[in-house]
Amino acid sequence: MFNTAKRALISNQKSVLSQARFKSSLPLKVPITLPNGVTYEQPTGLFINNEFVYPQQKKTLETISPSTEELITEVYQGSAEDVDIAVEAADDAFKNSGWATGDPMLRTRALAKLADLYEEHSETLAHIESLDNGKCISDARGDVKLAASCLRSAAGWADKISGELLETGDTHLNYTRREPIGVCGQIVAWNFPLLLLTWKLGPAAATGNTMVFKSAEATPLSALYVAQLSKEAGFPPGVINVVTGLGTTVGNRITEHPKISKISFTGSTAVGKHIMRSAAESLKKVTLELGGKSPNIVFNDADIPRTVQNIINGIFYNTGEVCCAGSRLYIQDGIYDDLMEALLKEVEGIKIGDPFDPSTRMGAQNSKAQFDKILKYIDIGKKEGAELVAGGERAGSKGFFVKPTIFAGVTEDMQVVQDEIFGPVVTVSKFSDVAQVIEWANDSNYGLAAGIHSNDVNNVLKVANSLKAGTVWCNTYNDFNASVPFGGYKQSGFGREMGKESLDSYTQTKAVRIALH
Ligand code: NAD
């Protein structure tokens, strides 16, 4: 994998990415010049015990810029053996560093400092994220901002995780403690590399756990950069470990390692099921954040301009690569024509292209595989008889860009309505009856999120209560806050990220009952 000489010297559309050539060995840090002209040192090694190290076998992973299809850099690829080394480091830190048992203010300070560092490095982090994932820079800036506030929120929780004193009469003293679980394995997808890492790191660290984290194959850069920041923030060695690599090697070993007590996974429902089966062998605690096919419902009394923005944000934000994307749009018959006209007009104006242009609204899809999958689904939609009213093809001839795509006239049994496409493709159905739309909305294996657009508060509350989804957004969409829990119903998984609930799955309750003489 060191044959990068074959590749042309990298030059993206702005010709500002610098690229080290690795003739014999990839250094543990490489300089990368970002499209904003800033050159930074990108770590490439595995992060174990607060140091970047070479893996046991010197294999690498290439990371490609989705907007140029060119190589950004390589990073080292771990193996099962490297996971074992990282787990030993995490286990030692859990048992011996005082992280789990010492003054919780240590955890508060480290998390708050890491939040400060996210903010200090926000432009670099946003550019790395945009470069590696393909998302537009404004979306990436939003990710960094939310990630920093999640860390700050977790920092505030660290010294407030306590049990209860339980009264059972004068004969006994009873209390509970909420203790950390131990070494946590964390595996994530590529659509929000920094945010998904932070959603797991914050509550795991606040509650005194240690972790072995694996980023997605296609997007390893921000996790390695954060690993470096975590050392500066004062996390003791072994608390945060990052092993980049493949799902089938690194991911598998994390899932089956006997010293890992909990797995937190974000990714596809298919891999989530596999992970749960494999974790069952050692009865690890498991939380799963999986796929979605979320309904977005517009009622006759909705405000058209505002709803159009919410629909667009619901499906085209982050190029549609959002687990909770509002990908099934249901519009009531009285507003259908006016809303569709306004929506199509607005969609025509969406700027797609160079992710680093501040006016770009949609960047590139993350990978060739994802790009191909989306185009395949567009083809399926056409063959199924859905009416293509916008987009339906790639944008440009270089980079993984797909035009914002709308299929109208769909029926609920179509594959494009039932399957998660994970791209900028929305289906539109017309409805008249509230009971009917609730039935359609809930007719999915998934249950991650839903949207309601209406000015009638009674209608909003009634429908919100009827929807089988972990999040219901009303007159807004893809609207996240560090204090508000996020997670799935049904096959969208279980466990929650963010909010107080995110701490629950990282602690276990011990009851102490003392007989009094
Ligand atoms: P994926 O399941 O293919 O991969 C996710 C991660 O799992 C990657 O790091 C991968 O390397 C790893 N992995 C793959 N095989 C593995 C194995 N056998 N053992 C252990 N780990 C393994 O998912 P993806 O295609 O990268 O991501 C897209 C999916 O993620 C979509 O379905 C999306 O909805 C979902 N997602 C969900 C949320 C959420 O919060 N619910 C957030 C983001 C993405």
Side-chain angles (χ1 to χ4, degrees):
M1 298 277 285
F2 289 100
N3 58 348
T4 47
K6 277 196 264 164
R7 292 183 173 270
L9 187 67
I10 193 158
S11 63
N12 73 350
Q13 63 266 55
K14 291 196 165 179
S15 300
V16 284
L17 293 179
S18 76
Q19 174 59 39
R21 300 296 197 93
F22 315 120
K23 291 208 174 60
S24 56
S25 178
L26 172 66
L28 286 175
K29 286 194 178 171
V30 297
I32 292 183
T33 302
L34 295 166
N36 61 356
V38 171
T39 300
Y40 80 102
E41 292 286 314
Q42 172 63 49
T44 62
L46 313 181
F47 187 73
I48 299 175
N49 252 331
N50 271 2
E51 300 299 337
F52 287 102
V53 295
Y54 292 105
Q56 296 301 299
Q57 302 161 16
K58 283 199 172 176
K59 283 188 181 170
T60 59
L61 281 175
E62 293 185 336
T63 180
I64 303 292
S65 160
S67 58
T68 63
E69 303 182 42
E70 287 168 355
L71 183 73
I72 303 168
T73 185
E74 294 172 48
V75 299
Y76 278 107
Q77 186 189 137
S79 62
E81 235 181 318
D82 297 302
V83 172
D84 292 353
I85 295 168
V87 172
E88 285 307 319
D91 189 48
D92 187 49
F94 185 72
K95 289 176 179 154
N96 302 317
S97 71
W99 178 254
T101 52
D103 182 351
M105 278 299 164
L106 171 66
R107 306 198 294 266
T108 294
R109 264 197 303 274
L111 283 161
K113 176 70 182 163
L114 189 57
D116 289 345
L117 290 171
Y118 271 36
E119 281 162 2
E120 260 173 53
H121 294 245
S122 61
E123 274 304 281
T124 301
L125 277 170
H127 278 78
I128 293 173
E129 202 71 340
S130 187
L131 182 63
D132 209 14
N133 169 274
K135 65 179 70 192
C136 64
I137 191 70
S138 56
D139 287 348
R141 287 187 176 123
D143 293 357
V144 180
K145 198 170 163 205
L146 177 60
S149 82
C150 289
L151 287 177
R152 234 176 258 303
S153 174
W157 279 114
D159 66 334
K160 297 170 192 69
I161 296 155
S162 51
E164 285 179 293
L165 185 67
L166 304 161
E167 288 295 348
T168 62
D170 287 346
T171 57
H172 290 78
L173 172 69
N174 311 272
Y175 63 91
T176 56
R177 283 165 58 84
R178 287 176 69 192
E179 297 185 343
I181 293 171
V183 180
C184 300
Q186 305 173 325
I187 302 172
V188 303
W190 40 261
N191 56 336
F192 292 95
L194 175 76
L195 200 52
L196 299 181
L197 158 68
T198 310
W199 280 359
K200 299 194 185 307
L201 188 163
T207 44
N209 296 281
T210 60
M211 64 211 81
V212 175
F213 175 87
K214 187 191 102 56
S215 44
E217 289 84 339
T219 51
L221 300 185
S222 56
L224 294 171
Y225 194 82
V226 166
Q228 177 174 279
L229 296 181
S230 73
K231 182 175 179 177
E232 191 182 337
F235 285 82
V239 169
I240 296 173
N241 303 278
V242 178
V243 182
T244 42
L246 307 181
T248 44
T249 53
V250 172
N252 250 336
R253 183 61 184 151
I254 288 176
T255 311
E256 62 188 32
H257 199 294
K259 283 194 182 168
I260 290 186
S261 308
K262 180 205 155 69
I263 298 284
S264 176
F265 172 76
T266 299
S268 62
T269 296
V271 175
K273 286 180 184 176
H274 165 79
I275 283 182
M276 203 165 158
R277 270 184 230 112
S278 143
E281 202 49 48
S282 50
L283 281 180
K284 293 181 186 5
K285 296 179 187 347
V286 177
T287 46
L288 301 173
E289 296 291 341
L290 307 176
K293 188 75 182 179
S294 300
N296 200 7
I297 309 170
V298 184
F299 289 95
N300 284 338
D301 64 346
D303 174 72
I304 289 184
R306 182 176 168 170
T307 303
V308 164
Q309 289 309 322
N310 284 327
I311 292 168
I312 287 176
N313 190 42
I315 185 64
F316 301 130
Y317 156 67
N318 210 54
T319 61
E321 290 171 347
V322 181
C323 46
C324 50
S327 49
R328 291 185 288 144
L329 182 59
Y330 296 98
I331 308 177
Q332 205 164 15
D333 45 11
I335 197 175
Y336 186 93
D337 291 341
D338 292 345
L339 186 80
M340 280 302 279
E341 192 187 333
L343 177 64
L344 291 174
K345 196 161 163 232
E346 195 68 18
V347 167
E348 257 175 42
I350 290 180
K351 187 163 171 194
I352 176 166
D354 178 5
F356 299 101
D357 178 337
S359 62
T360 294
R361 190 114 183 237
M362 278 176 59
Q365 309 305 143
N366 177 247
S367 63
K368 173 84 167 64
Q370 189 58 25
F371 171 79
D372 288 344
K373 178 184 160 192
I374 296 164
L375 293 178
K376 192 183 105 199
Y377 266 108
I378 290 173
D379 207 40
I380 290 172
K382 289 178 191 163
K383 287 188 179 132
E384 285 180 311
E387 186 195 348
L388 185 69
V389 294
E393 58 189 359
R394 86 179 290 178
S397 55
K398 194 169 189 210
F400 309 131
F401 297 96
V402 178
K403 289 186 180 168
T405 297
I406 304 179
F407 278 118
V410 295
T411 53
E412 296 307 296
D413 57 347
M414 286 181 180
Q415 234 185 308
V416 281
V417 178
Q418 290 300 325
D419 292 1
E420 182 185 47
I421 299 173
F422 215 53
V425 181
V426 64
T427 61
V428 191
S429 312
K430 194 193 284 190
F431 74 94
S432 53
D433 181 51
V434 180
Q436 174 72 88
V437 79
I438 290 171
E439 192 188 319
W440 281 345
N442 288 334
D443 180 21
S444 168
N445 289 332
Y446 297 113
L448 194 52
I452 304 171
H453 306 275
S454 167
N455 280 323
D456 175 350
V457 70
N458 291 309
N459 184 37
V460 165
L461 294 175
K462 266 198 226 153
V463 177
N465 288 346
S466 314
L467 293 171
K468 305 285 178 239
T471 294
V472 180
W473 281 297
C474 306
N475 297 321
T476 184
Y477 206 97
N478 278 333
D479 187 346
F480 300 92
N481 186 289
S483 302
V484 182
F486 176 76
Y489 276 27
K490 299 195 270 184
Q491 293 195 25
S492 290
F494 44 81
R496 293 292 178 267
E497 312 272 26
M498 299 192 290
K500 192 163 168 263
E501 284 77 358
S502 66
L503 305 162
D504 295 344
S505 61
Y506 283 102
T507 59
Q508 48 196 346
T509 300
K510 175 180 282 172
V512 180
R513 179 161 161 85
I514 304 169
L516 303 176
H517 298 293

